[in-house]
Amino acid sequence: MTTYLGSDAALMDEREHFFYTFDLGLSAALVSVGFSLVSLDRENLRKVQFVFRRGDGMDAVIDAYWADRLEVKARTYFDATKMLKNRLYSE
């Protein structure tokens, strides 16, 4: 039981410092406003999970994205999407 609690604590610590999403659009939005993509998690064979380092204001940006209130420059968003797709298919 101690091992389970230890891994739970480690997972909570990890979730506190990193944000995970499968959504390409949200990932492009986060990159567009300056959040750092840490890695691509390919553990799931069907889809790739984007891993970001948590930062100040991230939750507000995520909420604004889902509420369709986030404003980013179109070219910046396009470039971020293109970069993420390149990362997806080149690794």
Side-chain angles (χ1 to χ4, degrees), residues 27-83:
S27 296
L30 290 171
V31 169
S32 294
V33 298
F35 289 102
S36 299
L37 179 68
V38 175
S39 68
L40 301 176
D41 180 355
R42 297 177 183 277
E43 190 171 316
N44 183 330
L45 299 177
R46 294 186 164 270
K47 53 189 176 179
V48 174
Q49 194 169 38
F50 300 94
V51 182
F52 288 87
R53 186 169 313 284
R54 281 203 170 273
D56 292 338
M58 180 179 264
D59 290 333
V61 169
I62 293 167
D63 290 343
Y65 173 81
W66 289 117
D68 199 24
R69 291 182 284 109
L70 183 65
E71 294 185 19
V72 296
K73 294 181 179 181
R75 180 63 191 263
T76 302
Y77 185 80
F78 174 78
D79 289 343
T81 302
K82 189 174 172 182
M83 179 275 294

